Every structure is written in structure tokens, then in C-alpha cells.
Amino acid sequence: MTSTFLAFLGVSILVIVTPGPDTALTIRNTLLGGRQGGVFAALGVATGQLIWALATSVGIVALLVASEPVFEAVKLAGAAYLVYLGGHALIAAWRNDWSAPSIAAGPRLSAAASFRQGVISDLGNPKMAVFFASLLPQFVPGGDPSFSALLSLGAVFCVLTFAWLAVYAAVIARVGDVLRRPPIRRAIESVTGAVLIALGIRLAAEQR
């Protein structure tokens, strides 16, 4: 049982530390809302994952994965949202919205908006549904994928995700004064926007 759980932790950490949409969103929201913005984005991502874990535990995810039209609809909606966020970032960079010192220095994104973006971004990624549906049952002690066992493993994954992204937010916030300088902020927002759009396009084009 211990070795199985340790194996689960190893796989989970490897997946979590691999940069993706959640990482890009956390970095962007930290720049827009300070450490609070980044932490609430991380909390939103973890909440979205917890919903996926709960859906996996009750069997809803299996139905989603089995239904091609529903799966495609969720995938396209998630991809569109990533493209929307990336496009918004590129427009802000093109307009150079941070040229005024008062704007560049202060947080602009509310905690609620950052949390909401994190939740929507994660729920719009059906790859998380496939991931939970395929990963969690493999590490259930005794091979019995009960509701409590699946949910417990999913909750552990969510906590690890939140901790990792919260550390990201803390590091970005610590050097925030430098990163919020208008030229640097504009460059980072441009790169982050392009990354989000690219991730959205890749998500839309991916086959299961």
C-alpha cells in the first residue's frame, strides 16, 4: 500500500511540475493581481481538479470520455477559453496598458476573477478527465476503485497542484516589482498570451 501511494505521488509530481496552461495562467494572474491573484488562480485550478476527481469517483467522467460529442464540446470550449485569455493578453500588450506608473505598480485582477479563471481553465481541459479516469484507478489500494479511495487520491493530487502553483505565485510576486516594469511586463504578457493561444490551439487539435 505504501509503495503504491509513493508511486502515485511520484507520477503526480511529475505531471504537476510539467508546465502547461495552469502554470501560464498562474504566472499571468500573479502579474495582474499580485501574489493574491496567483494564489487564487492556483486555488481555482485545484478546485477544478477536485471537481474532476469527484466526477471520476461517481462515474461521470467515464460517461464523458465515452461520449465523443460531449468530450469534443468540452475540449473546444476549453480551447476557446484559453485562446480568449491569450488574445486578451496580447491586446493588452499591444495597447501598452501599463505605460502609466500607477497602473504598472498596482494589482488590477481581483481574487474572485482570478479564482474563476482558474476553475474554468481547468474544467475546460478534458485531458484532466482522461487523466483522472486512467490514473486514479491504477493506484487504488487493493485494486478496489471505491468512491472514497478515488476521491482521496484525487484530493491529494489537487493539494499537490495547489502547493506547486502557490509556490510559483510566491516566486513571481517576490520579483514582481521588476517584472511589472512596463517594458518587461509587456514582453511577459506578450509571451504568456502567445503561449495560452498556442495551448488552446493544440488542445483543440489534439486527438484522444
Side-chain angles (χ1 to χ4, degrees):
M1 179 174 177
T2 301
S3 59
T4 301
F5 182 69
L6 290 177
F8 170 75
L9 289 180
V11 172
S12 298
I13 291 173
L14 181 61
V15 171
I16 290 169
V17 301
T18 302
D22 297 338
T23 306
L25 183 66
T26 300
I27 292 174
R28 179 175 182 270
N29 285 10
T30 302
L31 293 176
L32 291 177
R35 183 176 181 179
Q36 174 181 267
V39 169
F40 272 86
L43 184 60
V45 168
T47 300
Q49 291 179 348
L50 187 59
I51 294 174
W52 281 125
L54 179 60
T56 300
S57 303
V58 298
I60 296 176
V61 162
L63 297 176
L64 169 64
V65 174
S67 175
E68 187 71 25
V70 176
F71 185 89
E72 286 297 314
V74 173
K75 183 181 74 172
L76 293 177
Y81 188 66
L82 289 176
V83 171
Y84 164 76
L85 291 178
H88 186 74
L90 289 180
I91 291 172
W94 178 67
R95 290 177 177 173
N96 199 14
D97 288 347
W98 315 284
S99 56
S102 60
I103 295 177
R108 298 188 300 162
L109 185 68
S110 69
S114 188
F115 175 80
R116 182 174 62 251
Q117 289 181 9
V119 173
I120 295 175
S121 174
D122 197 81
L123 289 181
N125 185 1
K127 290 170 60 179
M128 290 304 303
V130 176
F131 173 76
F132 276 121
S134 60
L135 177 73
L136 298 186
Q138 297 183 44
F139 295 96
V140 172
D144 180 21
S146 63
F147 172 83
S148 59
L150 290 173
L151 186 60
S152 297
L153 290 176
V156 170
F157 187 91
C158 297
V159 170
L160 291 174
T161 298
F162 173 73
W164 173 253
L165 294 179
V167 169
Y168 244 109
V171 172
I172 297 298
R174 181 172 288 275
V175 294
D177 290 340
V178 174
L179 297 180
R180 289 192 187 97
R181 292 174 183 173
I184 299 177
R185 173 74 172 275
R186 188 179 189 184
I188 292 176
E189 192 78 348
S190 298
V191 172
T192 304
V195 168
L196 287 171
I197 291 175
L199 289 171
I201 293 174
R202 188 181 73 175
L203 177 60
E206 278 185 345
Q207 302 296 323
R208 283 200 286 177

